[in-house]
Amino acid sequence: EAGVVQSPRYKIIEKKQPVAFWCNPISGHNTLYWYRQNLGQGPELLIRYENEEAVDDSQLPKDRFSAERLKGVDSTLKIQPAELGDSAVYLCASSPGTGAINIQYFGAGTRLSVL
Amino acid sequence: GQQLNQSPQSMFIQEGEDVSMNCTSSSIFNTWLWYKQDPGEGPVLLIALYKAGELTSNGRLTAQFGITRKDSFLNISASIPSDVGIYFCAGQLYSGAGSYQLTFGKGTKLSVIP
């Protein structure tokens, strides 16, 4: 069974440019998460989806970040415009989303460098 | 918000040695998880702990969920070169109605000297 798939793996852009990341979760997983991981840190949640609904976006910088999960499967995360401080690894994770035992499985991430 | 203190931050060990790392929190969690992250990859789940006091093994890995629900440790026995990577603890809080919060520590970077 395929795991969480993310693309692109790497992205280099100049500041003020837009950028988008794509995530395909594990089949059947209702819950999808976007995390940002800065160098030397653990992942930090940006947004969580239950099916197509964003149920926790309190940590998403909404002035420049947006996300969508149309049809409750794939998701995209967009930054417009990008700033130097946005350089990080953006991780997508998915989980079954039911019950008290709800393990998250991560994709390989997209490493963003903003110049 | 919740914070996890993970230690040590990094460690260098000789191949064959045992390793121990731990995580503490000021808040309780329903679940403790240990992930390993290799360079250029996402975190991969190693062990999940669901009950206070639970001791679980996965091959050479052993982890325990602290009785107070505020701490956990991970041991690796007889380390090998492929154990190199960054190990993250994560505490998960189930707050009902399908709402889960996962908080990560800052990681322990393990280097194994052959």
Side-chain angles (χ1 to χ4, degrees):
Chain A
E1 181 181 333
V4 177
V5 179
Q6 290 187 247
S7 69
R9 291 295 310 274
Y10 306 92
K11 191 73 177 178
I12 301 174
I13 61 171
E14 294 187 343
K15 62 181 181 182
K16 301 185 181 179
Q17 294 298 305
V19 65
F21 315 123
W22 175 81
C23 174
N24 180 240
I26 292 173
S27 177
H29 280 192
N30 297 324
T31 309
L32 183 146
Y33 313 77
W34 282 102
Y35 288 85
R36 177 167 57 191
Q37 185 177 23
N38 293 315
L39 190 64
Q41 303 292 319
E44 294 179 330
L45 182 69
L46 290 173
I47 189 168
R48 173 170 66 92
Y49 280 92
E50 296 289 343
N51 298 302
E52 62 273 6
E53 183 182 358
V55 295
D56 183 358
D57 62 356
S58 57
Q59 301 303 313
L60 190 73
K62 297 180 184 62
D63 56 336
R64 298 182 300 107
F65 286 65
S66 64
E68 61 182 12
R69 192 184 183 197
L70 300 175
K71 301 181 182 179
V73 180
D74 295 0
S75 177
T76 56
L77 177 68
K78 298 178 182 177
I79 309 175
Q80 182 171 10
E83 297 179 351
L84 295 176
D86 295 332
S87 294
V89 176
Y90 290 84
L91 294 163
C92 179
S94 70
S95 66
T98 56
I101 297 175
N102 191 44
I103 300 301
Q104 297 183 28
Y105 297 88
F106 286 81
T110 296
R111 182 176 297 275
L112 174 67
S113 296
V114 182
L115 307 178
Chain B
Q2 297 158 326
Q3 290 190 344
L4 296 186
N5 298 310
Q6 186 171 350
S7 64
Q9 197 170 19
S10 64
M11 49 196 317
F12 291 81
I13 60 169
Q14 291 282 347
E15 182 177 356
E17 289 184 346
D18 297 344
V19 173
S20 184
M21 57 192 79
N22 68 81
C23 243
T24 60
S25 170
S26 57
S27 306
I28 63 172
F29 290 104
N30 302 120
T31 305
W32 278 96
L33 305 162
W34 286 91
Y35 286 86
K36 183 190 177 200
Q37 187 172 28
D38 292 327
E41 300 296 328
V44 174
L45 182 68
L46 298 174
I47 288 182
L49 302 157
Y50 303 106
K51 287 183 182 180
E54 178 181 355
L55 183 71
T56 296
S57 293
N58 179 8
R60 293 179 297 105
L61 307 179
T62 302
Q64 184 157 30
F65 191 148
I67 293 175
T68 65
R69 298 170 66 190
K70 293 182 179 181
D71 63 301
S72 177
F73 71 74
L74 174 71
N75 289 340
I76 305 173
S77 63
S79 59
I80 59 178
S82 62
D83 290 335
V84 166
I86 303 177
Y87 292 79
F88 289 99
C89 64
Q92 181 165 279
L93 188 62
Y94 177 60
S95 51
S99 176
Y100 301 87
Q101 282 183 295
L102 192 61
T103 304
F104 282 85
K106 292 188 175 182
T108 294
K109 186 175 182 180
L110 178 63
S111 300
V112 179
I113 304 167

